[in-house]
C-alpha cells in the first residue's frame, strides 16, 4: 500500500494487486473519501459493495485505475452511473472487465472532463464507443488507449478531429 499524505489527509492510494478484506473499503472511503484524489486498484478484486463505497464516498477522485480488476456487469452499471463526473484519468484496461458499448456511452456522457482513458483489451467495444468518446470528450481527451478494441479503420481515422488528442494507442 502506497499513500501520499497532505495536511493529515489521504489524497493518493495505490492498492495494486492487493487482497482487500471486507472492511477495508468502508474504512478507507468513509475516512478519506472526501479528500482522496487518486486511487489505483490495478488487478485488485473489487466487489459491488466495495465499488458502492468508492462511488458514494470518493467524490473528489480525479484519477482512478480499475485496469485488470474483475468488474462484473453489475459493477460496470454501478461505476458508469455513479462515478464522480470530475474524474480526469480513468483506467479500464486489461482483462476481467465486463464493459460494453452502453457502459462507455453512459460513462463519457456523464464524465466529460476525462483527459486520459484506457480501454485496452476491451474487445466487446466497437465504433459505437469511439463515436461517443469523440462526441463527449472532443475538447478534453489527450490520451486514449483502444488497443485490441473492435474498431473499424474509417472510425479510427475520424480520431484526427479531436484537437487535444496527443497520444492514441491502437493495435
Amino acid at each position: 500500500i502506497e499513500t501520499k499524505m497532505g495536511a493529515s489527509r489521504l489524497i493518493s492510494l495505490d492498492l495494486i494487486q492487493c487482497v482487500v478484506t471486507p472492511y477495508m473499503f468502508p474504512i478507507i472511503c468513509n475516512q478519506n473519501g472526501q479528500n482522496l484524489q487518486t486511487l489505483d486498484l490495478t488487478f485488485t478484486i473489487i466487489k459491488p459493495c466495495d465499488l458502492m463505497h468508492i462511488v458514494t464516498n470518493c467524490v473528489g477522485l480525479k484519477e482512478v485505475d480499475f485496469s485488470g480488476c474483475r468488474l462484473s456487469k453489475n459493477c460496470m452499471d454501478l461505476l458508469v452511473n455513479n462515478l464522480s463526473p470530475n474524474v480526469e484519468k480513468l483506467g479500464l484496461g486489461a482483462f476481467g472487465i465486463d464493459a460494453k458499448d452502453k457502459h462507455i456511452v453512459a460513462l463519457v456522457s456523464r464524465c466529460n472532463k476525462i483527459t486520459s482513458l484506457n480501454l485496452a483489451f476491451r474487445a466487446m467495444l466497437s465504433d459505437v464507443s469511439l463515436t461517443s468518446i469523440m462526441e463527449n470528450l472532443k475538447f478534453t481527451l489527450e490520451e486514449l488507449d483502444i488497443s485490441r478494441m473492435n474498431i473499424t479503420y474509417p472510425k479510427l481515422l475520424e480520431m484526427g478531429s479531436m484537437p487535444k488528442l496527443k497520444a492514441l494507442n491502437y493495435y
Side-chain angles (χ1 to χ4, degrees):
I1 298 175
E2 178 184 321
T3 62
K4 292 179 186 171
M5 301 291 282
S8 300
R9 59 189 179 116
L10 184 67
I11 56 172
S12 180
L13 179 63
D14 293 345
L15 295 171
I16 300 169
Q17 290 185 318
C18 282
V19 176
V20 180
T21 67
Y23 302 104
M24 284 178 70
F25 278 112
I27 292 169
I28 291 168
C29 295
N30 288 335
Q31 291 179 359
N32 303 289
Q34 296 295 317
N35 300 317
L36 199 59
Q37 295 176 14
T38 304
L39 182 60
D40 191 343
L41 300 170
T42 304
F43 293 108
T44 300
I45 296 172
I46 306 292
K47 296 181 290 258
C49 60
D50 298 331
L51 192 57
M52 180 58 91
H53 286 290
I54 294 167
V55 298
T56 302
N57 297 299
C58 300
V59 294
L61 280 177
K62 296 287 185 193
E63 301 178 28
V64 62
D65 198 340
F66 293 103
S67 296
C69 293
R70 299 206 181 277
L71 297 181
S72 66
K73 180 197 171 299
N74 289 342
C75 282
M76 283 304 301
D77 290 340
L78 185 62
L79 179 70
V80 303
N81 292 313
N82 297 287
L83 184 64
S84 170
N86 296 318
V87 167
E88 296 173 4
K89 294 184 179 186
L90 178 61
L92 295 171
F95 302 100
I97 297 175
D98 191 13
K100 306 269 189 295
D101 283 325
K102 69 176 186 171
H103 293 121
I104 303 308
V105 169
L107 176 75
V108 298
S109 64
R110 277 189 73 254
C111 302
N112 58 8
K113 296 176 183 170
I114 295 175
T115 61
S116 178
L117 182 59
N118 178 357
L119 297 173
F121 297 95
R122 305 275 54 85
M124 298 298 293
L125 301 181
S126 69
D127 287 353
V128 172
S129 290
L130 201 55
T131 298
S132 189
I133 289 167
M134 287 189 290
E135 290 171 355
N136 292 285
L137 304 180
K138 182 172 186 165
F139 299 108
T140 60
L141 194 64
E142 298 173 7
E143 301 173 1
L144 178 63
D145 192 338
I146 52 173
S147 304
R148 308 283 189 203
M149 278 179 58
N150 190 19
I151 303 295
T152 63
Y153 188 67
K155 186 55 72 176
L156 187 62
L157 290 177
E158 288 180 36
M159 295 301 296
S161 70
M162 299 196 63
K164 290 199 164 202
L165 192 64
K166 298 175 190 167
L168 175 64
N169 296 324
Y170 176 79
Y171 59 86

